[in-house]
Each structure stands twice: as structure tokens, then as C-alpha cells.
Amino acid sequence: MSLPDRASVVIIGGGVAGCSVAYHLTKIGVTDVVLLERKQLTCGTTWHAAGLVGQLRATRNLTELAKYTADLFHSLESETGQATGFKQNGSISLAKTPERFEELKRGASMGKTFGLATELLSPAEIHARWPLLEVGDVVGGVFLPKDGQTNPIDTTLALAKGAKQRGARFFEHTGVSRILVERGRALGVETLEGAIRADTVVLCGGMWSHRLAAAAGAAVPLHAAEHFYIVTEPIAGIPPDLPVLRVQDECAYYKEDAGKILMGCFEPIAKPWGMDGIAPDFCFDSLPEDHEHFEPILEAAMRRVPALATTGIQLFFNGPESFTPDDRYYLGETPEVRDLFVAAGFNSVGIAASGGVGKVLAQWIVDRRPPLDLCDVDVRRAMPFQANRRYLHDRTVETLGLLYAMHWPYYQYKTARNARRTPLHDRLLAAGACMGETAGWERPNWFAAPGSTPRYEYSYGRQNWFEACRGECQAVRDHVGLFEQSSFAKFLVQGPDSVALLNRLSTADIDVAPGRIVYTQWLNDRGGIEADLTITRLAEHEFMVVTAAICQTRDLAWLRRHIGAGGDLRCWATDVTAGIAMLGVMGPDSRRLLESVSGADLSNAAHPFGCSREIEIGYARVRASRITYVGELGWELYMSAEHCLDVYERVLGAGESFHLRHAGYHAMDACRVEKGYRHWSHDIADEDTPLEAGLGFTVAWDKPGGFIGREALIAQRERGVLPKRLVQVMLIEDAAAPLLYHEEPILRDGVIVGSIKSGAFGHRLGRSLGMGYVECPQGVSGDWLSEGRWEVEVACERHPVQVQLGPWYDPKNERIRA
């Protein structure tokens, strides 16, 4: 079969991801598919994967993808005639400590929200299911009966066979030298056999994806690391249906493998590989053995499974796998290059994710939009700087081991830090800041008291910064807090057609007087929220868009693509994030403090809520915007970065008279949850509409020209009821109340009807709080909420709660308008 010069879709890479994408494209009718593999199918990393098929993931949609994968593997052999080796033998995760057991129990509760069967096990019950195991020091465990394992090579070949049966063409020994890009669009690929033009290029190149994407102008930050496992000699009496076993406290996993045991590890300090490139003839290759590196894991394994001490090792294996800076894979169309899609960086869960990934990416390619909320794995979350090879090398040392480390709330990466620092970085450290990292930015999460060490001590309960955060929140409530917010992303939109563009994108009416701030959402055509941000009109043809740090790449791409889609629109967008510093001065004394350092009249009459104007502080011209994310009277101050230190020093100096206190992002998060302020990617995303999220007040239904998503919102409004709505949750218990984090089940009259999306302890109210969506086919109404008996489940224990639609703190907005 000769290489064609054109195809509808060209897929780069013949591992499990590429073959799954081909399989699912052909399944929905896209048969003009060409898959190119540089050597042989599975020869990169797929062939040596352990083949574990676990289903519980951090979010509902990612769990649904993993569940679909298991269902697909169950039927794939009968469909294609190709054996897969799949068996649904379940999995056990065991805990050696109470802290790990709480993590597992929280996961078990989360699994109930997703409809996933889970069982808590005692040590004796674990031993009954895994007789070879030493359980004397085990606290407990969790059993997932629908998990399993499969043969990676056979499963991939089955996917390839299914795709070929429906018309896809596969070409092995056909390496891609580059992706063809013209005017910001992928138009095909160049191979040694010639070029192939395509409407869509899909990059599933595993550890080669970073290089190919970079050459095309796109960022796909991933790096290979060595991954170790052993396979023993046969062990008599091993049952073939032995569950997969994970002993995360010892960094190890175990599975039955044809009467033998395969034991692999995710060690805390990993060995990045391939920094200087990967040999062009790399094919079914392994890496050199490193017994010294693996020895601590093996010694613990022999204590855990004593039979290993008297059984020979048939195979000591070391092979590379790809890891990303946040341990989540990449999916979707790249923001830099249109028509270039990616599925790569699977962090050792490629087999378990492959079926669902292929399904949603195929639909994404056809519709040119994600079929469901995939923000956790959307490639648009990646920051351009993360493609830096040194950064990736240094972060990969840590990320491999984090797969089995404790998944603590608020965990902060230890490696590849200080990549992005604000002008006040050193001053904040001197003030006692404990820095966290978001999108590479070093940001003060909390401030340690004088004489104490700003260092995290993690737990699922109240961590060591709890009291510091309380003090910061109380300062914001009673006096004034100073927040460093320079990491917020900021875009200038300029040009005669700026109003037309932004009004088309925004739910709110952006055609306001200069100096007005507008809070708005950007929607997709289904009415789902793509962005949540503020827009300030600076002049007739100039606007400033401000959004969250994590949304910088995504929101800028959305903005620029709609400029491009407008044909001859006379406007442009500039990312000014790095050049514009930002401080938040929040609290009832913020007005008097800022008036004292600026001489400006900041009264309600001169500067009402929602207005922005320039004032002078020190030697700087500062844009003072009266708006808040903490629910208090306050201003966001924007200034050129070179003036930031001057402004900071003057505000800090004058602040002594007003009891000013530094405040961090943990305090900001606590305050915004009390106030019911939404956070994109937690409380709202592209499957949630403004009506469901309680943001209907932002919608200018009748503004001239409408907005993207208006028709979908009108249809939803006309149905009269909302089967899904975001509610505010308060635990009734006080001192004993557990903390809510994410995906804890919400129950009405004993039945799960929703889950928590984000939570925090509200220090101004003295209560543990959360917000999340609940569902009722007949409509979520105030009466339905008030008539039910409400609980949340935390670590398999239920706690009574109150629920309501409005915020708990200052529901009439009297404080922010004071």
C-alpha cells in the first residue's frame, strides 16, 4: 500500500493512544484516517506498560472515561477477533497509616458520586483476597471490583484491527520529520516517503511529542522518565483472578502475570531520561538496569510479599514513560496551532485512559469542541514556559513519584520552582510568606507569624497554617488586608472593533462608559462557561481583560481565535500579564488607607463599586479598580511593574495606622467560598451554564447583536426549571467539622444528588463550607432544598449540612458597597 498524498485525518504515533483515536474516528464515520508509526505499533512505551486498568480518577468525567475504557476492553476481543488479555479482577489499595486510609476512604466516597462500586476492607479481608500478603501493619484498604488488567500489545493491536476493518490505513516504518504549518494551521506532515496533506493532524507521539510540537510552534510539555518493574519466576498457587494490588505507602504495585508476579514502582526521586534526545532507531528497547536505585523498593516488597524473598527474578525491566509537570495528560486542540490535536503525556495511566481518550478526542475532532468538561487534561492549561527542557527535567524528578505519594490537599511541588516571580517576591518572603505555585508563579499562600517557619505540614484536617489564615481573614473583615495578585492574567484589547468583539464573546454588555468594570462570562454555543473574568473599559477603543492565572493560555487563545474568526475585525489582543503588577487592598479600612497615600477622593459618590480610574500613589500612576474577590470593600491596584515596589512600600508604610496585614491566597480562597464567588475549573466550566451556576445576573439578554451561547441560554430559560444548580453548603458541626475539598457526595434524604466542587473553612463565619451542584429532574428550587434532609459524605462518614442558593456571608452585598 503506497502512502497517500492526502487524508482527512493524519495520526502521528502507533501506541495505544494513536490506535484508539483511529478506532474511534472510524467508529463515528471518519474513515479517511492515516496512522503513521515511525517503527512498529506499540514499540515506544505502550509495549512495556503494566496494563493496569483502574477507573477512579479525580473528577467525574475522567472517571467516566476510565469506566468506558474498561467497558470497551471487555467487548473489544469479541468485536475484532483479536485477543486482548483483559480481565476484570478488581484492585485493592491498602493503607499502612491512618492518613493514607483517610485518603482512600475519601476516594471511596468520591467513587460513589461517580457510580463506581467500592468496598472498604479490613486487614483480614485484604489478606483473604491476597493470601500472599503480609498485613500485620496494615490499617485497612479499599477494593474496586470493576478494575482490572489487560495485555497492552494485544489491546493496541485490537484497536488497530478495529480501525482497519472500517477503512483506516496504517503505515509502519514511516517516521514523521515535521508537522506542516501555514498561517497558524496544521496542514499535514512531512515524512521520509513524502508529504501528506490533512484537514486534521493528531499528535500521539508519546515521548517524541514535545519535540514535534515545539518544531511546529506548539507547547506540549512532557519528559520521559525511567520506570522500573520486575517479573518473578512462577509462584505455585497464585490464583489467576488475583486483584491488582497497590501499596502506595511503599511506592509499589503488584499484578498476577501468567502465574508470576509483576511488581513495579513509582519511587519518590525519579530518573528523567532522554534529555539529549532519543535515538532514531529506538524500538522495543529497554534501558540499563539500575539495581541500586530499585533496591529499596524491592526490599520493602519482599517484606510485604514474603514469597518474593524465595522466588527468582525472571526479568528486571527499565523502560521510559512520559510525564507532565502536573501529572495529568494532554488532550485537545493546541492553542498555538489550529487543527493540531494532541493526546500524549499519560503519566503511566495511558492504558487505563486510552479508550475514553480515543472516544472524546474523536468527537472533539469532528465537532471542533470538547464533548464534555475536560479542563483537567485540556492542553490549553499548559504555559509556554513549561516547554523549557530544563524545567521539564527538574519537575519530572518529582512527578513520577507523586502518583503514589500522599495526595495532600494544598500540596506544593518541590521541584522546578521560582520559574515566575513577581517584583515583590523577596519582600514577601521577608514578611513571612509561604509560597505556593500556580501556573509557574510563586505566590504567597499564607504568612507565618514572626519567629515561625513558613513551611507546610500536610494533613486532611486543619493544617499548620490554619490559624495564620484565620488571622488574615479576620484582618480583611475588620481592618485591611494586602494581597499580591500580579499573577492574574491581563490582556489589552484595542482597536475600533474591540466593543463588537467583546460584546459578541461576553454575556454582559461591554459597551459601557470608560472607567466601568464589567464582570462577565464567555460561553460556547451550548451555553457552557468557557471563561469567567472582568473587563474594564479604559477608553473608547481599549479594554483590559483580567482572568485567573491558570487560564492565561486558554483565555488568550479563545480571544485571539475569535478575532481571527471575525475576518476583517480591526482589533488585536496583547498579553500584558508580565508588565502589569497588581495589588489587592481589601477590608473596611481600605478606603481610608488608600485615600491617605493617594490624596484621591474614594468615597461612594466619587468612586462607586464597579468603577476604575487612575490615581497617584508615590511616584506612580495607578489604576484603582473598585472590585473584590473576597467580599469586602476594596480596590485592585494595577501599575506598571517597575513602579510596584514603590507603591507597595508606601501602602505598607501607611498601613501600620490601619492595622494592615499581608494576606495570602488561602485567605482569598476562604473568603471567596464564604461569599459564593465562583472559580473557573472548580465551580464552573464548559458544561455549566450561567443559569445553573447562579450567574444569570451577568446576562444581557437583549443587547444588540447578542452573544455566543445566547440561543442555548434562552432555550434553557424557557424550559422553566433547572434540573441542576449550584448550591452553597455549610456543615452544621463546628469544631468537629471535617474540611471539604472536592467531589464529596451531597445527599438529600440519604440519596446522592450531587457533589462538592470546592470547599474551604470560612473563618469569618467559623464554619466548614463548600459549594457544589445538585440535581433534580423536576427542578432544583428553594422549596426542594428546604424540604430535604441534607448531608455530605466525607471519608465514608456522613455529616449534616445546610444548603441554600445564595452566599452565606453578606448576602445583600452591603459590605462591598459600603
Side-chain angles (χ1 to χ4, degrees):
M1 183 168 52
S2 60
L3 198 66
D5 58 9
R6 176 157 192 89
S8 175
V9 180
V10 168
I11 299 170
I12 305 170
V16 69
C19 291
S20 181
V21 173
Y23 172 90
H24 285 91
L25 280 170
T26 60
K27 197 168 186 176
I28 59 174
V30 181
T31 57
D32 185 18
V33 175
V34 169
L35 183 144
L36 306 174
E37 165 53 47
R38 48 180 288 279
K39 291 295 183 180
Q40 294 174 252
L41 297 185
T42 79
C43 74
T45 60
T46 295
W47 72 276
H48 62 71
L52 309 186
V53 184
Q55 298 179 70
L56 184 59
R57 296 290 179 259
T59 65
R60 176 186 298 273
N61 283 341
L62 295 186
T63 300
E64 290 296 336
L65 297 191
K67 288 167 65 178
Y68 169 81
T69 299
D71 292 341
L72 173 66
F73 289 176
H74 192 270
S75 62
L76 194 58
E77 181 173 340
S78 60
E79 175 194 342
T80 64
Q82 166 69 49
T84 63
F86 176 71
K87 56 182 180 180
Q88 213 155 24
N89 48 332
S91 74
I92 296 172
S93 295
L94 65 80
K96 292 174 58 179
T97 66
E99 293 81 9
R100 176 69 75 178
F101 199 30
E102 177 165 0
E103 176 183 305
L104 295 180
K105 288 189 291 185
R106 281 180 174 260
S109 290
M110 181 172 67
K112 295 178 186 178
T113 301
F114 306 151
L116 198 62
T118 60
E119 299 176 27
L120 294 184
L121 301 180
S122 67
E125 290 169 326
I126 294 172
H127 187 266
R129 283 183 164 88
W130 237 90
L132 299 176
L133 204 60
E134 170 56 51
V135 296
D137 59 346
V138 172
V139 175
V142 172
F143 179 58
L144 280 74
K146 297 296 185 180
D147 281 1
Q149 62 191 68
T150 196
N151 182 299
I153 294 178
D154 290 344
T155 302
T156 303
L157 294 179
L159 291 167
K161 186 174 181 180
K164 292 175 185 177
Q165 288 171 341
R166 288 186 289 264
R169 290 169 287 176
F170 281 54
F171 294 86
E172 296 181 290
H173 303 287
T174 307
V176 171
S177 54
R178 67 186 179 105
I179 299 167
L180 302 176
V181 178
E182 292 180 14
R183 297 183 180 180
R185 288 184 177 271
L187 300 178
V189 299
E190 184 77 44
T191 78
L192 296 178
E193 307 298 323
I196 305 178
R197 294 276 168 165
D199 301 317
T200 304
V201 177
V202 187
L203 179 56
C204 302
M207 55 191 176
W208 290 269
S209 297
H210 174 268
R211 176 184 60 81
L212 284 166
V220 180
L222 54 81
H223 199 293
E226 299 182 27
H227 179 54
F228 300 86
Y229 62 73
I230 62 166
V231 180
T232 70
E233 298 285 354
I235 299 177
I238 294 182
D241 60 348
L242 194 69
V244 171
L245 175 69
R246 295 177 178 88
V247 189
Q248 293 152 316
D249 292 318
E250 295 170 354
C251 312
Y253 62 85
Y254 303 78
K255 75 163 188 173
E256 185 275 338
D257 186 11
K260 297 165 278 190
I261 292 291
L262 182 151
M263 189 278 288
C265 70
F266 295 104
E267 67 277 19
I269 300 176
K271 296 180 65 179
W273 179 82
M275 183 71 174
D276 298 322
I278 303 169
D281 58 351
F282 192 93
C283 177
F284 295 114
D285 287 334
S286 60
L287 304 180
E289 298 178 1
D290 189 339
H291 294 276
E292 183 177 351
H293 185 80
F294 190 69
E295 186 176 7
I297 307 295
L298 184 57
E299 288 179 351
M302 288 189 292
R303 291 190 295 270
R304 180 63 51 203
V305 182
L308 294 181
T310 57
T311 303
I313 296 177
Q314 186 179 84
L315 173 67
F316 186 108
F317 185 82
N318 179 13
E321 295 191 19
S322 296
F323 291 84
T324 64
D326 59 7
D327 264 343
R328 289 179 277 139
Y329 53 85
Y330 296 124
L331 204 60
E333 188 178 20
T334 64
E336 303 91 347
V337 181
R338 297 297 302 266
D339 305 324
L340 174 60
F341 286 75
V342 62
F346 284 99
N347 305 283
S348 285
V349 298
I351 302 300
S354 60
V357 161
K359 179 183 180 181
V360 296
L361 192 61
Q363 199 63 56
W364 198 335
I365 290 166
V366 170
D367 297 337
R368 284 309 195 257
R369 68 185 187 195
L372 43 85
D373 173 19
L374 294 165
C375 63
D376 276 356
V377 292
D378 194 319
V379 69
R380 289 175 291 176
R381 77 183 186 277
M383 298 293 151
F385 86 90
Q386 290 178 314
N388 176 283
R389 291 187 303 128
R390 174 55 60 183
Y391 169 89
L392 288 171
H393 172 277
D394 293 350
R395 175 57 62 82
T396 301
V397 170
E398 179 180 13
T399 50
L400 179 146
L402 289 180
L403 293 174
Y404 276 15
M406 285 291 299
H407 297 92
W408 295 117
Y410 308 107
Y411 176 80
Q412 301 300 319
Y413 293 106
K414 299 175 182 177
T415 55
R417 294 293 297 266
N418 293 315
R420 305 172 84 182
R421 284 175 273 185
T422 74
L424 300 180
H425 181 79
D426 291 345
R427 296 296 182 96
L428 297 172
L429 289 177
C434 185
M435 292 293 184
E437 184 236 356
T438 296
W441 286 104
E442 296 293 320
R443 312 196 308 181
N445 278 348
W446 55 282
F447 288 83
S452 61
T453 302
R455 182 178 61 241
Y456 278 91
E457 296 173 10
Y458 295 113
S459 79
Y460 275 96
R462 300 178 179 190
Q463 298 185 9
N464 65 311
W465 48 266
F466 187 86
E467 291 302 324
C469 183
R470 184 201 301 273
E472 294 167 22
C473 292
Q474 291 174 344
V476 171
R477 179 193 65 192
D478 300 334
H479 299 291
V480 59
L482 178 62
F483 295 90
E484 212 290 354
Q485 297 178 248
S486 297
S487 61
F488 279 50
K490 300 165 283 282
F491 316 133
L492 280 184
V493 182
Q494 299 166 292
D497 292 328
S498 298
V499 173
L501 168 75
L502 291 173
N503 249 348
R504 179 65 179 153
L505 292 181
S506 303
T507 56
D509 190 352
I510 306 302
D511 194 3
V512 295
R516 293 294 300 176
I517 309 163
V518 179
Y519 170 55
T520 189
Q521 286 79 48
W522 292 347
L523 309 183
N524 53 46
D525 57 8
R526 296 167 292 175
I529 300 170
E530 292 284 347
D532 180 69
L533 36 76
T534 62
I535 300 176
T536 303
R537 192 167 197 171
L538 306 179
E540 183 180 3
H541 300 312
E542 185 174 8
F543 296 80
M544 180 171 65
V545 176
V546 180
T547 188
I550 62 169
C551 297
Q552 182 175 358
T553 300
R554 180 191 177 97
D555 290 356
L556 184 60
W558 187 264
L559 178 60
R560 284 177 170 168
R561 286 193 175 181
H562 282 88
I563 293 175
D568 56 354
L569 279 178
R570 297 168 300 162
C571 62
W572 57 94
T574 307
D575 187 344
V576 296
T577 302
I580 304 295
M582 178 179 171
L583 298 175
V585 181
M586 301 288 161
D589 290 335
S590 59
R591 175 182 284 125
R592 292 192 298 133
L593 168 57
L594 290 177
E595 285 181 336
S596 73
V597 294
S598 68
D601 180 1
L602 298 179
S603 65
N604 265 330
H607 199 142
F609 181 77
C611 287
S612 177
R613 78 182 217 252
E614 287 193 339
I615 61 176
E616 293 182 355
I617 298 179
Y619 301 132
R621 296 286 294 174
V622 176
R623 174 161 296 281
S625 296
R626 188 175 168 190
I627 196 168
T628 179
Y629 196 48
V630 296
E632 303 286 354
L633 171 70
W635 279 260
E636 292 176 351
L637 306 179
Y638 299 86
M639 67 223 74
S640 183
E642 68 262 29
H643 294 299
C644 181
L645 189 55
D646 179 35
V647 172
Y648 168 78
E649 290 174 340
R650 293 177 189 273
V651 170
L652 195 63
E656 293 181 11
S657 302
F658 299 95
H659 306 286
L660 179 142
R661 180 167 176 169
H662 286 92
Y665 280 85
H666 289 336
M668 179 179 289
D669 191 52
C671 290
R672 71 99 185 164
V673 171
E674 286 178 308
K675 197 71 178 74
Y677 289 152
R678 283 63 166 158
H679 186 284
W680 196 89
S681 82
H682 286 91
D683 314 302
I684 50 178
D686 57 11
E687 282 191 309
D688 310 311
T689 73
L691 301 185
E692 295 166 340
L695 298 173
F697 65 89
T698 71
V699 180
W701 295 98
D702 300 321
K703 67 176 176 177
F707 54 89
I708 296 171
R710 178 177 180 270
E711 291 74 18
L713 288 193
I714 289 175
Q716 188 176 56
R717 182 180 65 174
E718 290 178 347
R719 284 193 287 272
V721 298
L722 290 169
K724 181 183 85 170
R725 295 183 76 175
L726 189 70
V727 297
Q728 309 301 312
V729 178
M730 175 187 288
L731 274 80
I732 294 173
E733 304 159 272
D734 185 4
L739 300 180
L740 304 178
Y741 296 114
H742 186 59
E743 294 293 1
E744 292 89 353
I746 303 174
L747 302 95
R748 182 184 188 271
D749 297 336
V751 178
I752 295 175
V753 294
S755 62
I756 296 295
K757 295 304 175 187
S758 60
F761 191 89
H763 291 285
R764 293 177 296 189
L765 297 169
R767 286 291 187 274
S768 182
L769 307 174
M771 63 179 84
Y773 289 95
V774 296
E775 298 187 28
C776 173
Q778 290 74 39
V780 177
S781 64
D783 288 343
W784 183 77
L785 294 177
S786 64
E787 293 167 359
R789 176 177 58 86
W790 293 90
E791 299 168 298
V792 295
E793 182 172 309
V794 181
C796 299
E797 295 184 7
R798 295 181 180 181
H799 302 264
V801 297
Q802 294 175 283
V803 298
Q804 64 183 35
L805 294 172
W808 301 107
Y809 186 76
D810 188 26
K812 296 182 179 180
N813 292 327
E814 294 170 339
R815 296 181 69 89
I816 67 174
R817 298 181 182 274

